Amino acid sequence: MRTLEGVLARHPFFGGMDPRYLQLAVGCAANMRFAAGELIFREGHPANHFYLIRAGRIALETPVLGRGSLTVQTLGDGDILGWSWLVPPYNSRFDARAVEATRAIGFDGKCLRDKCEQDHELGYELQKRVIAVLGEHLDATRFRLLDIYADVIE
């Protein structure tokens, strides 16, 4: 039988993390499932969770006037979903929708923020990891925008 702590330790986001931080994080975690098409969170709404994607795909979307929703990035196995739980005012910056049935580990953002306040080393470790993921998301968004504008210019 797999433990939640063992699953976290094998996930790329938590890879190499001090076991005592894993123990703190696992207290805020739960297994989650999302059906294909299910809206996970909406842009501008409170960001109370973040997710480690174990299997499946999730699209980050943003509304575009007159065009509906635009998929900015699609996340899959090994990715994390959500960073706004860590950055005030704790509101989601995108919509997130399951593209297919998805299994994830969900974390209660307030629970983690409280633990980070109590243990600043945990907070620093999580911030470093989230910032690295944010850099990857910014790169992906930039390339997606280049694709969009290339279509407009042609």
Side-chain angles (χ1 to χ4, degrees):
M1 184 171 122
R2 290 185 186 178
T3 65
L4 205 48
E5 189 172 337
V7 172
L8 293 185
R10 287 186 297 281
H11 194 281
F13 181 77
F14 282 101
M17 184 177 272
D18 186 315
R20 67 188 166 114
Y21 298 146
L22 283 176
Q23 289 174 346
L24 290 171
V26 79
C28 300
N31 281 306
M32 310 284 291
R33 291 183 184 271
F34 302 104
E38 183 176 345
L39 185 67
I40 299 166
F41 54 76
R42 183 167 299 286
E43 181 178 337
H45 288 207
N48 297 318
H49 295 88
F50 94 99
Y51 306 90
L52 302 179
I53 302 171
R54 296 183 63 195
R57 292 184 313 138
I58 297 174
L60 293 177
E61 304 170 341
T62 191
V64 176
L65 191 60
R67 292 182 70 182
S69 287
L70 173 70
T71 297
V72 176
Q73 186 177 12
T74 303
L75 305 172
D77 304 4
D79 289 327
I80 73 161
L81 169 66
W83 49 268
S84 299
W85 66 275
L86 189 58
V87 181
Y90 313 117
N91 291 322
S92 297
R93 305 306 200 280
F94 295 97
D95 291 349
R97 184 178 312 278
V99 175
E100 61 191 33
T102 300
R103 289 183 304 125
I105 297 174
F107 291 85
D108 179 302
K110 180 168 181 352
C111 174
L112 275 178
R113 285 192 308 269
D114 289 347
K115 289 184 181 206
C116 290
E117 284 297 325
Q118 294 168 8
D119 186 330
H120 291 170
E121 289 179 24
L122 168 65
Y124 179 64
E125 189 63 35
L126 285 173
Q127 281 190 340
K128 287 190 306 185
R129 291 165 187 259
V130 168
I131 288 169
V133 170
L134 273 175
E136 293 170 9
H137 285 295
L138 286 172
D139 287 343
T141 301
R142 179 181 62 209
F143 291 126
R144 178 73 177 127
L145 288 172
L146 289 173
D147 286 343
I148 292 167
Y149 285 113
D151 291 342
V152 171
I153 292 171
E154 294 176 356

